[in-house]
Every structure is written in structure tokens, then in C-alpha cells.
Amino acid sequence: MNPQTPKKPHIVFYFSDTGGGHRSAAEAIIEAIDLEYKNQVTTEMVDFFKDYAPPPVNHAAEMYPYMVKAPQLWSASFHASDGRARARMITTTLWPIARRAARALVKMHPADLIVTVHPFANSFALKALGKDRPPFINVVTDMVTTHALWYDNRADLILVPTETARKRAIKYSMPPEKVQVVGLPVADRYCQPLGRKSTLRKKLGWPVGKPVVLLVGGGEGMGPLAKTAQAIDASGLDVVQVIVCGRKQRLKTNLEAYKWENPTLIYGFTRDMPNFMRASDVIVTKAGPGTVAEALNAQLPIILYAKLPGQEDGNVTFVEEEGAGVWAPKPQQVVQTLTRWISRPAERKKVIENCRRAGKPEAARTIAHIIGEKLELKAADGSQT
């Protein structure tokens, strides 16, 4: 009689598609677990808002793109609800409404270890789980300006992207021994060796021999993308522009109809961003945490031209304090920075080195190792973590 095959540990990730960063972080960690611990665990992603929250909160993902179009209102609500006492008041007030959904979530998705990548999942899930629960790891996916809802001292471990976020967690009464700086997890394809820019440009069909400026509006094409690109084109700089419009088809169509003076390549949503970053010389982008982390890994100087007030304010400060880029919210400020970096290669080289120092391409695998240690897994090379 054959012995029964041991059951693999099951890891459940709580996420929400309110912004692309939460799903991306969970997927990056799952990918790293698979790379480090081949087929030793099973994983599952649960969109807790969509699948379990009561109406109208279950439509949060669809509402999110409209909510962020009112940035000042978003900022006001962020700051009004931030703070340890206010976060506790929110979760206490909402518990009678969320209780049934939270208990259904944990009951329907039994786990040997739980990872959350969204602030709203933490307290409700922990309360629903009670004391007899599996290890609970909170991976913070906002880089610096982290809301108090990210932190619940009942969690076993809180993994944060930056030292500033760690200090913020401790300020919100988290035990220091539970808080660890690991970086922001991104897909493994953003963590590969850089390669030669000229080789990548030839492969992509881009011009070789001129500085390449990559302009990104995020998955939804957010930010003053068109005006910024047109200002760069009219500046007299001899550059190649690569513009990624995201899912904004109308924006892409308008840019394709524009009469550009310089070589300009226009893309919609693309999965080739890792090579785009490695092949470029500068990125002009919104201050989203994922894009910032990916650019740092690519050692790509950053010009931030838009941000979501509140949670992305600290990303701007972080990039500037690390010397990895600048805040340039007006098109002319973007042009001035590009002019300076192109005419002063030594300055741009220093920014590149600062990006290399600030980047944490090992973040997802570090988190995978922490999970592997909790579950006593063996690394793919056979060693015990």
C-alpha cells in the first residue's frame, strides 16, 4: 500500500484591484515562491472586496478610477482617516457591517499561511480569524506614505518597502521586531540583468544613437502625458520619445495623429515594459510605487510629473531624497531636467548610481524566503530555509 502523499501547504493572498499595485505585488510574490520552492506549496488569490464585501463596496475596483479623478477629495479623505485612533474607529464602526463577509472570507478560503497586500483586509480578517489562526503576514504596497490601516499589531509580520515606512509603522505602535524592510515586490522580469541598451533598442526596433525618454501614464494613462510629450518635442532636444498610453485608446489615437519633430514611438498597454525601461535613458512617469520600484531596479533616472495626493506624496520625497530623480509637475520643468541631464552626463551618471543603490530587485524573493521559513520549506537547491 502506497503511503499517502503529504498535503502541500496552502497560501492565500488577500488583494483588491483598487489600483494595479496590489494584484501585481501578490503575483510577484507567488512567482518568487514558485522560483524558490518548486511545486512545494499551493497558492490562491482572493479579491476580498469584489467577492465578499457588501454592496456598494464590492464595486470598489470599478469605482477606483473615478475616485482618483478627484485628487483633492482623495487626499482629504486619506488624511482625515489616517492615524492609529482613527483607523481603529473605522474598523470598529464597520465591523458590524463587515463581520459576515469577513467570516465568510476566512471560512471559504482555509490557509496554512495568509498574506495581505491591501490595507483594508488586515484588521477585518484578523478579527474574523480569531486566536486560533495560521501565520498572518502583511506586505505593505505603498512605498512611504502608508495609511494607518496597513498596520495591525495582531499580524505576525509586517513587511514594508522602505525605512520611512518602517518608522511610520513603529509610530503607529507596531512592535519593532515585527516590522522588516524588504523593498516593494515586483515581477521577476523587472529584476533581470540590465544588458546593453543598444542591443535592446535594436531588438525593439528603436533608433540607436540618441537619448531615449520613456513617458508612462500608468495602466490607465493617468497624468498630463500629451502636454509633456509635446513640450519635449518642441524643446529642441535631440531625443527619441517612447510613449506608453496604457489603456487610453483615445489618447493613443490623438498622439498618433500629432505631427512629431523627433522620432516618437507610441504604444498602448504593453507587457514589454521591463525591456522598455532597460533600453531607455530617462523615465517620465506618475509617482506610482510599482513604477518607481521598477525604474530603480532598471537604474533608470526618474522624472515624476504626477501623483495621487496622500499615499503617493511620500514617493516623490523618497525619490528626491535618494537622489534618484526629481519632481517636475509642469511640462517645462520636465524639459529643464532633461536638458540638464543630457548636457551634464556626469550628473546623470550619479543619478543612475543612486537608483542602483535605492533599488531592491531581490524584494519578492526575500518575501518568498520569509514565507518559506514560516512553512519550513526546502529551497529549490535542496537547502532548508
Side-chain angles (χ1 to χ4, degrees), residues 21 56 123 145 170 189 204 259 276 289 294 335 366:
S123 293
T145 317
I170 294 169
R189 62 186 184 276
L204 293 166
K259 297 189 181 298
F276 281 20
E294 291 157 4
V335 170
T366 298

Side-chain angles (χ1 to χ4, degrees), residues 73-354:
L73 181 61
W74 180 275
S75 176
S77 63
F78 178 93
H79 291 294
S81 61
D82 194 20
R84 187 70 187 141
R86 281 169 280 181
R88 190 180 294 111
M89 182 182 68
I90 289 169
T91 55
T92 302
T93 303
L94 292 179
W95 176 245
I97 301 169
R99 178 174 51 211
R100 179 181 292 183
R103 287 175 176 168
L105 168 66
V106 301
K107 182 179 179 181
M108 295 300 293
H109 302 276
D112 295 290
L113 185 143
I114 294 169
V115 179
T116 69
V117 292
H118 194 286
F120 258 98
N122 302 324
S123 293
F124 295 116
L126 282 163
K127 191 164 185 177
L129 286 162
K131 293 182 179 180
D132 185 17
R133 60 166 176 80
F136 194 99
I137 297 176
N138 174 11
V139 177
V140 178
T141 56
D142 283 323
M143 189 166 276
V144 177
T145 317
T146 50
H147 195 282
L149 284 170
W150 275 114
Y151 307 118
D152 190 309
N153 58 20
R154 289 171 292 183
D156 294 284
L157 200 57
I158 299 171
L159 306 180
V160 296
T162 62
E163 178 60 27
T164 305
R166 188 189 75 85
K167 291 176 181 176
R168 197 173 175 93
I170 294 169
K171 173 187 171 184
Y172 288 144
S173 304
M174 296 304 103
E177 65 274 12
K178 284 189 176 183
V179 186
Q180 184 175 337
V181 180
V182 296
L184 190 75
V186 299
D188 195 62
R189 62 186 184 276
Y190 287 99
C191 308
Q192 298 301 310
L194 299 184
R196 292 179 61 87
K197 291 187 186 295
S198 59
T199 302
L200 285 170
R201 290 175 189 176
K202 289 174 183 176
K203 181 180 177 181
L204 293 166
W206 294 0
V208 177
K210 296 183 178 182
V212 174
V213 181
L214 176 63
L215 292 97
V216 181
E220 300 299 332
M222 295 170 67
L225 198 60
K227 288 182 180 179
T228 303
Q230 290 163 1
I232 294 170
D233 193 57
S235 68
L237 290 171
D238 188 17
V239 298
V240 176
Q241 289 197 96
V242 175
I243 307 173
V244 179
C245 302
R247 297 182 177 90
K248 294 288 187 180
Q249 184 57 45
R250 184 177 176 183
L251 174 63
K252 183 174 182 287
T253 300
N254 291 340
L255 290 174
E256 287 173 336
Y258 188 79
K259 297 189 181 298
W260 301 96
E261 294 183 18
N262 287 309
T264 303
L265 302 161
I266 300 164
Y267 297 85
F269 180 79
T270 177
R271 296 196 178 279
D272 211 10
M273 279 299 292
N275 280 335
F276 281 20
M277 288 188 175
R278 286 189 281 266
S280 299
D281 294 296
V282 176
I283 186 170
V284 181
T285 183
K286 176 180 171 288
T291 305
V292 169
E294 291 157 4
L296 293 175
N297 291 349
Q299 300 176 29
L300 185 61
I302 304 167
I303 299 176
L304 298 173
Y305 73 142
K307 64 179 179 180
L308 186 60
Q311 67 206 66
E312 290 181 356
D313 289 337
N315 300 354
V316 174
T317 304
F318 174 77
V319 167
E320 291 188 316
E321 288 182 349
E322 293 292 331
V326 300
W327 169 240
K330 296 181 180 179
Q332 199 52 46
Q333 293 173 311
V334 174
V335 170
Q336 289 169 355
T337 302
L338 284 173
T339 301
R340 192 174 73 247
W341 282 351
I342 290 170
S343 62
R344 301 176 184 175
E347 181 177 336
R348 187 167 64 86
K349 186 176 180 181
K350 185 177 180 180
V351 178
I352 292 170
E353 175 57 26
N354 290 339

